[in-house]
Amino acid sequence: MSELNTVTVDVVSDVVCPWCFIGQKRLDKAIAAIDDVEVHIRWRPFQLDPTVPPQGKDRREYMLAKFGSDERIREIHARIEPLGEAEGISFAFDAIKVAPNTLDAHRLIRWAGAAGEAVQNRLVRRLFQLNFEEGANIGDHAVLVEAAREAGMDASVVETLLPTDADVEAVRTEIATASRMGVTGVPCFLLEGKYAVMGAQDADTLADAIRQVAAAKTSGELEQVG
């Protein structure tokens, strides 16, 4: 396929964001609906709450502090669950016991990117599943090492790197860069580094945006897109 028919999508997301999980599923649908553009995905870090301690917090207490009541939390979950179900996600919010700090998960996603696009995609999907469908603590190093192994990474290398500060500053710098670019919420789909689609848009909207950017790239008009 010619270079002009490729589009790179940088997905700025956090693996504890349910809308990012929904967005990932919708992006997959969008890509499946496009047969004349080769889409490459890169996952970029964002932290909804970088103040969560490394060991995480009790999720119920964390949610109560954030939203004020069990009733409000149930309302939020009840709004998200059917949207997830429509995308093949079985949200199990009650199974999530720990609100994790996601810095280490983002370091792992960064390392997965170095192992290849397919590996990074597998890892991100697995982390979403672990957190939202299985209630696993994705701030736990043992959970991250196993996820890395399942994604096809060298788990022994990951196990060695996680306790160190490797790439901590690099991830924080990327998050700061996203903020400077105006990313205040996630998911954010950045197409060819020029055109941002904010939020978990439906698959048709994402597919149309990808097609428009591909056409603009082909015609040399990309600078005018967005």
Side-chain angles (χ1 to χ4, degrees):
M1 189 171 288
S2 71
E3 187 180 346
L4 293 179
N5 283 330
T6 67
V7 170
T8 297
V9 180
D10 287 290
V11 187
V12 184
S13 79
D14 197 359
V15 282
V16 290
C17 167
W19 296 105
C20 292
F21 195 6
I22 291 170
Q24 175 257 304
K25 294 288 191 177
R26 291 176 175 174
L27 179 60
D28 282 353
K29 279 187 179 177
I31 292 171
I34 304 170
D35 56 11
D36 57 346
V37 180
E38 184 179 319
V39 181
H40 296 286
I41 303 173
R42 296 185 300 204
W43 293 90
R44 302 298 190 185
F46 189 90
Q47 283 194 284
L48 292 177
D49 188 353
T51 70
V52 173
Q55 70 274 20
K57 289 184 175 180
D58 178 273
R59 185 176 186 271
R60 182 173 178 274
E61 291 178 7
Y62 177 75
M63 295 292 282
L64 280 172
K66 192 172 183 180
F67 296 109
S69 70
D70 281 321
E71 184 181 9
R72 179 75 181 119
I73 295 168
R74 281 194 296 270
E75 286 174 1
I76 292 165
H77 289 168
R79 191 172 81 247
I80 295 172
E81 283 165 352
L83 295 172
E85 192 175 342
E87 305 301 338
I89 300 169
S90 299
F91 281 115
F93 291 112
D94 289 343
I96 306 171
K97 303 305 179 189
V98 177
N101 183 298
T102 55
L103 183 62
D104 286 342
H106 286 304
R107 291 165 67 210
L108 183 59
I109 292 167
R110 181 182 179 87
W111 301 333
E117 181 179 343
V119 173
Q120 190 181 51
N121 278 323
R122 282 198 299 271
L123 176 70
V124 171
R125 284 155 178 72
R126 186 63 185 130
L127 292 176
F128 278 133
Q129 290 172 348
L130 284 164
N131 183 65
F132 287 112
E133 297 185 319
E134 299 175 28
N137 177 6
I138 56 171
D140 184 288
H141 284 186
V143 172
L144 292 176
V145 169
E146 183 55 32
R149 180 181 289 110
E150 291 175 9
M153 299 173 69
D154 187 329
S156 62
V157 171
V158 170
E159 196 167 14
T160 301
L161 287 176
L162 276 173
T164 74
D165 289 333
D167 284 330
V168 167
E169 286 310 313
V171 169
R172 286 181 174 151
T173 298
E174 266 203 87
I175 293 170
T177 300
S179 295
R180 281 198 304 275
M181 289 171 62
V183 178
T184 56
V186 286
C188 173
F189 304 92
L190 191 62
L191 282 60
E192 285 295 316
K194 299 285 185 185
Y195 179 48
V197 179
M198 302 295 296
Q201 302 292 335
D202 62 68
D204 287 345
T205 299
L206 288 169
D208 285 346
I210 291 168
R211 288 190 188 99
Q212 286 177 36
V213 170
K217 189 177 176 184
T218 300
S219 64
E221 297 173 357
L222 187 60
E223 295 296 330
Q224 299 172 29
V225 173

